[in-house]
Amino acid sequence: MPLKNRGNEETMEEVARRVAMYVWQEDAMLQCLALLIKDSIVVELQSIIESNKAVIIKLQESLEERDKRIGKLESQLTKKTDELEQYQWRQCLCIFGVKEEVGKDTDKIAIDVAEKIGVKLELADIDRSHRVGVRREDKVRPVIIKFTSYRKRSEVFRNKRLLKQTGVTVREDLTKIQHKLLMDCITKYGVGNVWTTDGVIIVKIGEAKVRVTCEDDIPRH
């Protein structure tokens, strides 16, 4: 029990309560308290925001790193798939420049072209052959030949240089990706400095020969 001094005098507790009541009724005091609370809340919110900002930055960096890894994997997968497709076509060659004639057998075209370059080609050496693309009056479609023997295919391709000045050319059958790379290289370095060997694009720059299997391999100078 709080002690009373004497008579009807207020206890110390009552006095303190009454003083506090008067003090808190003062506008200045309330405003001061409000500012203190506001500053405390602002400081705490800033701390929370900074903490969350650091977490968000880490998440963004993590996502960017993940996207880079995914992009690299996609690029590697595309390259491997293209290499596999190109390997499956290793026994094919395309003949360009042979005029289309109704009823002209494409196997016979392959045999005739091989004969011109000194290669004896028989029906047994040809797995299948056909014209490529939709027939048009203003364009001669190439003939694609799949050989039963890679050795025979290589013999024909090796002697293709003997077709110069005949209007007929023999080229390797390339995937869409490799064909685009070939065209890019020819545009930059000229047709005389670019060729293919077993599906690999070779670019001659001065005395050097550069293998091109993807866009990053194309010299930038």
Side-chain angles (χ1 to χ4, degrees), residues 80-98:
K80 289 296 181 184
T81 302
D82 185 66
E83 288 175 352
L84 178 59
E85 184 180 357
Q86 188 63 62
Y87 181 76
Q88 291 174 337
W89 294 357
R90 69 192 182 281
Q91 291 187 199
C92 296
L93 289 177
C94 288
I95 299 176
F96 293 82
V98 178

Side-chain angles (χ1 to χ4, degrees), residues 202-220:
I202 308 297
V203 178
K204 184 178 180 182
I205 305 175
E207 297 300 320
K209 295 178 182 178
V210 180
R211 290 167 58 93
V212 176
T213 60
C214 62
E215 288 185 2
D216 292 338
D217 293 337
I218 300 177
R220 301 302 173 187

Side-chain angles (χ1 to χ4, degrees), residues 77-186:
L77 179 59
T78 299
K79 185 176 180 181
K80 289 296 181 184
T81 302
D82 185 66
E83 288 175 352
L84 178 59
E85 184 180 357
Q86 188 63 62
Y87 181 76
Q88 291 174 337
W89 294 357
R90 69 192 182 281
Q91 291 187 199
C92 296
L93 289 177
C94 288
I95 299 176
F96 293 82
V98 178
K99 184 179 178 182
E100 296 191 43
E101 298 178 16
V102 178
K104 182 73 171 181
D105 183 64
T106 52
D107 287 351
K108 183 65 166 57
I109 290 174
I111 292 172
D112 290 345
V113 170
E115 185 179 357
K116 289 179 180 179
I117 57 178
V119 177
K120 185 179 180 181
L121 192 65
E122 299 179 353
L123 284 177
D125 297 318
I126 301 173
D127 183 2
R128 59 181 178 270
S129 66
H130 58 87
R131 294 273 182 181
V132 180
V134 179
R135 184 168 186 174
R136 292 165 47 182
E137 294 296 331
D138 60 338
K139 187 176 182 180
V140 176
R141 294 178 297 168
V143 175
I144 185 169
I145 307 158
K146 184 176 181 181
F147 294 81
T148 57
S149 164
Y150 179 77
R151 183 176 298 174
K152 185 62 68 172
R153 175 264 193 205
S154 297
E155 187 179 355
V156 172
F157 189 66
R158 187 168 54 249
N159 291 310
K160 65 184 177 64
R161 65 185 183 281
L162 299 177
L163 290 170
K164 285 183 178 180
Q165 310 303 323
T166 66
V168 177
T169 58
V170 175
R171 301 175 190 167
E172 292 186 312
D173 191 19
L174 301 178
T175 65
K176 289 183 179 180
I177 292 176
Q178 292 303 309
H179 184 265
K180 182 180 181 304
L181 282 175
L182 177 67
M183 292 299 100
D184 290 344
C185 290
I186 289 175

Side-chain angles (χ1 to χ4, degrees), residues 47-77:
S47 176
I48 293 173
I49 290 171
E50 290 299 322
S51 177
N52 289 337
K53 187 185 294 184
V55 172
I56 291 172
I57 290 174
K58 287 183 179 180
L59 286 174
Q60 287 177 333
E61 292 175 348
S62 177
L63 289 173
E64 289 173 358
E65 184 62 28
R66 184 205 63 181
D67 290 343
K68 288 180 182 178
R69 290 199 301 270
I70 291 175
K72 186 176 181 180
L73 288 173
E74 287 179 342
S75 178
Q76 291 174 344
L77 179 59

Side-chain angles (χ1 to χ4, degrees), residues 30-49:
L30 290 174
Q31 290 177 1
C32 181
L33 178 62
L35 288 173
L36 287 173
I37 294 173
K38 177 183 176 182
D39 290 343
S40 177
I41 293 174
V42 168
V43 170
E44 185 174 355
L45 287 175
Q46 286 178 337
S47 176
I48 293 173
I49 290 171

